[in-house]
């Protein structure tokens, strides 16, 4: 084959979720793990870069699904959506800070987390190995980093 062969050495788009789980005001667990940026999320990001979409990520969601995160995922099982508290930017990284307060998602057996665009499109998905039995004495503080 004649011609120039080029390789893209840019880092792959990826992310990680950090959770601090408090029960009765005391930290009982800290957890950090990777996530999967799903196909519909990548599609919206491509449209955003090309001018065909004006949305942005505004919510974190929790759900009860236990199936491993997959590229074709489009939502969470029994989703409860909570507004992102703040957004921070750093070199090739964006951080979405969130808090699931003692009055939110109570009664939900949380297994999965998701980042959502304002129009409800899932961007990123993470499924935990263990359940967080969310009750009114449990608060979850966390952040979701996306690396470019």
């Amino acid at each position: 084959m004649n011609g120039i062969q080029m390789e893209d050495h840019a880092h792959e788009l990826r992310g990680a979720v950090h959770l601090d789980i408090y029960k009765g005001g005391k930290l009982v667990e800290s957890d950090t793990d990777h996530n999967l940026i799903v196909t519909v999320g990548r599609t919206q990001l491509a449209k955003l870069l090309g001018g065909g979409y004006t949305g942005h990520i505004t919510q974190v969601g929790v759900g009860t699904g236990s199936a491993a995160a997959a590229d074709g995922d489009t939502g969470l099982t029994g989703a409860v959506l909570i507004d992102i508290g703040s957004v921070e930017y750093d070199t090739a990284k964006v951080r979405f800070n969130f808090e699931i307060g003692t009055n939110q998602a109570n009664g939900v057996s949380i297994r999965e987390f998701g980042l959502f665009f304002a129009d409800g499109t899932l961007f990123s998905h993470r499924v935990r190995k263990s359940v967080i039995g969310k009750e009114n004495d449990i608060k979850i503080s966390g952040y979701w980093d996306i690396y470019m």
Side-chain angles (χ1 to χ4, degrees), residues 26-143:
K26 295 185 180 188
L27 182 64
V28 295
E29 181 182 349
S30 285
D31 176 34
T32 302
D33 201 358
H34 69 282
N35 73 151
L36 176 67
I37 298 170
V38 297
T39 301
V40 293
R42 289 178 185 275
T43 299
Q44 292 300 67
L45 183 58
K47 289 178 182 177
L48 178 67
L49 293 173
Y53 181 67
T54 59
H56 60 279
I57 292 172
T58 60
Q59 296 177 311
V60 64
V62 296
T64 59
S66 60
D71 283 331
D73 292 344
T74 58
L76 307 179
T77 303
V80 176
L81 301 178
I82 293 113
D83 289 340
I84 296 292
S86 64
V87 180
E88 300 173 37
Y89 304 94
D90 198 357
T91 304
K93 177 179 86 172
V94 60
R95 174 172 285 178
F96 300 94
N97 298 299
F98 61 90
E99 181 174 292
I100 302 165
T102 57
N103 62 340
Q104 296 172 303
N106 290 332
V108 177
S109 296
I110 299 172
R111 270 305 275 266
E112 59 182 339
F113 289 80
L115 270 183
F116 288 85
F117 286 100
D119 67 2
T121 301
L122 180 65
F123 176 73
S124 183
H125 190 196
R126 182 210 173 187
V127 180
R128 286 174 47 93
K129 293 177 183 161
S130 62
V131 171
I132 301 169
K134 181 65 176 72
E135 300 298 335
N136 64 3
D137 64 341
I138 293 178
K139 176 181 88 170
I140 303 168
S141 292
Y143 56 84

